[in-house]
Amino acid sequence: MPSPIRRIAINTGGGDAPGLNAVIRAAAIAAANRGWECYGIREGFNGIFFPERYPEGGVIRLNRDRVRGIAHLGGTVLGTTNKGNPLHFPLKMPDGSVKEVDRSDEVLEFFAKKELDALISIGGDGSLTIANALSQKGLRVVGVPKTIDNDLDKTQTTFGFDTAVAFATECMDRLHSTAESHQRIMVVEVMGRYAGWIALHAGISGGAHAILIPEIPFNLEKVAAKIRERDTHGRLYSLVMVAEGAQPADGHRAVMAPAEVGHAERLGGIGEQVAQALQYLTGKDTRLVVLGHLLRGGSPTTFDRLAALRFGAAAVRALDEGQRGVMVALAFPNVKYVPLEEVAGRMKGVPMDSDTLLTGRDLGICFGD
Ligand code: F6P
């Protein structure tokens, strides 16, 4: 029998996503309803490593008052970081160089010292890989799948994705009229890392004429041919949706900043390349819109809010049932538990037999292949 739970901690890691606060609220209330104390660690694990940075301390009590009225708010009341991986922590050396150190034992020592019985870790691929490592070292951990990119395996969807897609679709709706009025090509670059989910879903929903995703290396001649064909039918404008991780069949992924110690590479810039090339190939006036971090902001949609509340409550239920080393996952109509080791380090891209992708092909959308 696992020891009973009295105190739990929650943290949010990696890029923020709409719905984080809803998870925090549901978990804190579900914990309080069991008589447990709930704490929030500030900015990933930084609250443990640098408590002096926070006026209220690096770990704050999440009582009912603290989580009141936050379910609809974007961002995270705890703060987050994608630079504080305890397994590969960047340590500045006296000579100015940066060395990578493993600080995961400090996390376990902190939990033991503060008599925290379990961690609910809300995050994407990076945070869940950390959660898995901490779990293997003996910490009682439950993960919650977050990311606008929807690139986590073993869950039907992550929270944050629906909000990002809804916003990108609305942007596409707005761009149709200006593109048509000026008979232009509009290129829209969206986030998504190495997966094309946001581009695919928003591109199809928003009426894109071409969609470029990392899973399908593209040839811009094919896209230009599609645009010329539309011109011959009097459709003198076109919308092209490009995922930041998309890459030409004969070229490279566009990287804005290379990986550093403790930080993954930053993608971005492919939209500019595509816009310039399409203007050259078609002779048509072309404009670029990069949606970037706008996709991460704002209130979660109802779908994301409910998924996040369900995940928060399910994470506490999982701990109550004695689960550890698992991630809560959507398996409609239910939430299930999957081992963290089946999720950590695995990316879910768009499969070539995806019904959504096939829908795009049936609609005559060009995927650049
Ligand atoms: O994983 C979420 C995400 O928004 C990706 O889509 C994007 O590549 C990355 O984070 C951007 O990170 P940052 O906020 O560090 O620019």
Side-chain angles (χ1 to χ4, degrees):
M1 269 294 278
S3 55
I5 289 182
R6 290 156 301 140
R7 290 149 71 91
I8 64 167
I10 303 178
N11 77 339
T12 54
D16 66 339
L20 281 168
N21 285 323
V23 181
I24 293 168
R25 173 176 161 79
I29 292 175
N33 285 341
R34 285 165 170 80
W36 304 352
E37 286 177 17
C38 184
Y39 293 84
I41 305 169
R42 303 298 312 276
E43 296 178 2
F45 292 95
N46 281 348
I48 295 177
F49 299 140
F50 309 106
E52 70 286 355
R53 283 187 186 170
Y54 309 94
E56 289 180 274
V59 177
I60 54 174
R61 179 78 196 273
L62 292 175
N63 55 25
R64 281 171 192 274
D65 273 348
R66 203 68 199 243
V67 298
R68 184 161 290 144
I70 64 168
H72 65 294
L73 300 178
T76 158
V77 292
L78 294 176
T80 188
T81 178
N82 50 15
K83 285 189 173 157
N85 183 342
L87 304 169
H88 304 281
F89 203 87
L91 191 69
K92 214 164 191 174
M93 305 306 285
D95 67 358
S97 64
V98 180
K99 200 176 121 194
E100 199 174 285
V101 290
D102 182 350
R103 298 187 71 176
S104 56
D105 284 343
E106 289 175 55
V107 175
L108 270 83
E109 283 158 20
F110 182 87
F111 270 71
K113 192 167 128 214
K114 299 286 178 188
E115 297 182 336
L116 291 163
D117 302 308
L119 169 69
I120 294 179
S121 188
I122 316 169
D125 176 36
S127 305
L128 295 174
T129 301
I130 297 165
N132 183 43
L134 294 174
S135 165
Q136 286 175 352
K137 286 188 160 215
L139 196 67
R140 208 172 338 182
V141 185
V142 170
V144 174
K146 162 241 66 171
T147 167
I148 64 163
D149 306 333
N150 195 37
D151 59 354
L152 284 177
D153 203 8
K154 305 287 175 193
T155 180
Q156 281 168 339
T157 186
T158 55
F159 74 84
F161 174 62
D162 186 65
T163 310
V165 169
F167 177 72
T169 304
E170 188 194 327
C171 292
M172 293 292 282
D173 291 347
R174 287 169 185 249
L175 290 170
H176 271 274
S177 54
T178 178
E180 188 162 16
S181 304
H182 287 266
Q183 303 181 354
R184 280 174 174 156
I185 301 172
M186 298 290 317
V187 175
V188 181
E189 181 185 309
V190 291
M191 285 184 166
R193 290 209 306 173
Y194 308 107
W197 294 107
I198 298 176
L200 179 69
H201 283 229
I204 292 180
S205 306
H209 306 104
I211 301 174
L212 306 178
I213 60 175
E215 295 82 350
I216 306 177
F218 62 81
N219 175 349
L220 283 182
E221 275 296 351
K222 300 271 171 85
V223 182
K226 167 79 184 174
I227 292 169
R228 283 190 213 105
E229 182 213 302
R230 282 177 52 74
D231 280 356
T232 60
H233 291 101
R235 312 298 289 160
L236 300 174
Y237 77 102
S238 289
L239 263 60
V240 180
M241 175 65 96
V242 188
E244 64 178 358
Q247 64 181 97
D250 59 355
H252 301 288
R253 191 162 272 144
V255 175
M256 193 101 80
E260 312 164 1
V261 176
H263 196 314
E265 68 181 3
R266 261 178 71 207
L267 300 179
I270 191 66
E272 181 65 42
Q273 293 175 25
V274 167
Q276 282 185 16
L278 288 179
Q279 175 150 328
Y280 173 76
L281 290 170
T282 63
K284 294 181 78 73
D285 208 13
T286 305
R287 294 288 186 274
L288 168 69
V289 177
V290 180
L291 294 182
H293 291 82
L294 289 169
L295 296 168
R296 298 224 304 247
S299 291
T301 57
T302 307
F303 180 91
D304 277 341
R305 208 177 301 183
L306 181 59
L309 290 166
R310 291 176 67 194
F311 280 152
V316 168
R317 225 179 302 131
L319 289 172
D320 206 10
E321 290 168 11
Q323 297 279 348
R324 56 194 304 156
V326 296
M327 178 187 83
V328 295
L330 269 188
F332 285 111
N334 296 318
V335 169
K336 64 175 182 178
Y337 312 137
V338 293
L340 274 171
E341 58 195 12
E342 288 182 18
V343 181
R346 293 195 199 175
M347 200 210 84
K348 181 179 72 180
V350 176
M352 288 306 102
D353 61 352
S354 145
D355 174 70
T356 313
L357 178 60
L358 297 178
T359 301
R361 293 202 188 277
D362 282 334
L363 289 172
I365 297 170
C366 172
F367 286 91
D369 59 345

